[in-house]
Amino acid sequence: MKRLKFEYRTDAVFDGPVTDHGFCLRCIPREDERQHLEWYTLDIYPETNIRIAPDVWKNTTTMGFIVKPHREFGFCVRGEVLVDLSRPRKLWNPIFKYPTEYTQTTPEMEHMVNILLKDSTGENPLSRALRLMNGLYAAFEYRQHVTGIWTTASEAFKLGCGVCQDYAHVLTAMCLYAGIPARYASGFMLGEGYTHAWAEVFSEGSWYGLDPTNNLMVDETYIKLAHGRHAADCSVVRGAFRGVVSETQKINVYVEELK
């Protein structure tokens, strides 16, 4: 079990005023069998009334609406989380057996899965998923600014590169094709940087996190914000507003282990 202190800040600046700004955030860590949120504070600007409620996957969402004109929007969430991976996550939804528009495979992806899982008969789903992660890590390249938030697994696989969202989508798609229940997860890693994404697979009664971007199993130095079928289910910031503007955004995440 580890106790992790975190701070996550996003600041957006518009080059003109916007109004009627509705937003939905998934910036507060999940509460579940393996993760307990000890305490947190959430500051949002401009100040507005908010509603905090679980979504369909029991991720914590924060919703609000800003009527008055504004040129900046941001939030900062701080807190401490206890992570204990010795506790199994036994509950799961059968929908995580099926692909979505983001996690469809192509014949090329399926060919790679079949090669990687050759001679894996008798292995449990986690072992088979690890084979897929190792193979994807060897074949895929981390590269920014070539994919976007709507890039699908098949599109990223064709490019052969992408960011953590793409790695997670591709691994999820490959696992689903192989008959391994899988889902997409988002959150933080130990250290300083940005939000992160990985996949989770269901094996022998529990969920296991696999981080294909770093070719690692998720351990107690990760904090989970959300999980779902794909990235759109786990988006940290979604919203709409009135105004024809350009936006610049700064994101910073810091996670520290407390002894």
Side-chain angles (χ1 to χ4, degrees):
M1 181 172 64
K2 292 186 184 296
R3 182 186 299 271
L4 303 175
K5 179 180 179 181
F6 70 92
E7 179 175 318
Y8 172 31
R9 184 179 186 93
T10 291
D11 298 288
V13 177
F14 310 107
D15 64 359
V18 301
T19 62
D20 299 331
H21 184 173
F23 60 86
C24 177
L25 310 177
R26 291 182 181 84
C27 61
I28 300 172
R30 283 180 59 93
E31 184 80 28
D32 60 27
E33 303 96 329
R34 293 180 166 184
Q35 184 170 277
H36 173 61
L37 186 57
E38 293 277 270
W39 64 268
Y40 77 92
T41 62
L42 173 62
D43 298 310
I44 297 174
Y45 69 89
E47 289 187 6
T48 187
N49 293 328
I50 59 172
R51 177 175 177 264
I52 297 177
D55 65 11
V56 67
W57 310 117
K58 300 189 184 303
N59 305 312
T60 301
T61 64
T62 302
M63 292 163 281
F65 193 81
I66 305 168
V67 177
K68 63 183 181 181
H70 55 284
R71 290 175 177 261
E72 296 181 347
F73 171 75
F75 60 88
C76 182
V77 58
R78 302 179 179 90
E80 292 181 12
V81 172
L82 282 177
V83 184
D84 185 357
L85 297 188
S86 67
R87 299 175 181 176
R89 295 191 187 104
K90 295 182 178 180
L91 298 178
W92 71 293
N93 191 316
I95 200 169
F96 295 127
K97 294 170 61 178
Y98 305 102
T100 70
E101 66 271 29
Y102 290 95
T103 54
Q104 297 284 346
T105 53
T106 62
E108 292 76 16
M109 294 171 70
E110 294 164 5
H111 179 66
M112 181 175 176
V113 170
N114 293 333
I115 291 175
L116 293 172
L117 294 185
K118 185 179 179 181
D119 302 324
S120 67
T121 303
E123 294 183 5
N124 64 23
L126 176 60
S127 295
R128 298 173 75 228
L130 286 169
R131 284 181 179 238
L132 296 178
M133 181 174 72
N134 293 338
L136 174 61
Y137 182 78
F140 209 69
E141 178 185 354
Y142 185 90
R143 191 185 301 171
Q144 296 179 319
H145 311 305
V146 293
T147 58
I149 60 173
W150 307 115
T151 302
T152 66
S154 58
E155 292 168 340
F157 187 84
K158 184 177 181 179
L159 289 169
C161 59
V163 294
C164 59
Q165 172 179 302
D166 305 301
Y167 277 87
H169 275 157
V170 173
L171 181 58
T172 299
M174 294 170 71
C175 287
L176 292 172
Y177 171 73
I180 304 168
R183 64 192 183 193
Y184 182 102
S186 65
F188 313 137
M189 291 179 65
L190 190 68
E192 187 169 8
Y194 302 93
T195 53
H196 193 48
W198 58 90
E200 293 184 332
V201 298
F202 194 77
S203 178
E204 299 183 328
S206 188
W207 286 99
Y208 296 88
L210 301 181
D211 178 359
T213 308
N214 297 295
N215 204 30
L216 296 171
M217 285 194 67
V218 171
D219 60 19
E220 293 173 342
T221 63
Y222 289 68
I223 297 175
K224 185 160 76 167
L225 292 176
H227 67 235
R229 299 163 299 169
H230 44 232
D233 286 343
C234 304
S235 55
V236 178
V237 184
R238 295 191 76 172
F241 50 73
R242 292 183 184 272
V244 181
V245 298
S246 296
E247 176 186 350
T248 58
Q249 192 176 93
K250 293 182 180 179
I251 299 171
N252 188 67
V253 173
Y254 178 73
V255 180
E256 172 189 358
E257 181 181 354
L258 300 177
K259 302 298 184 180

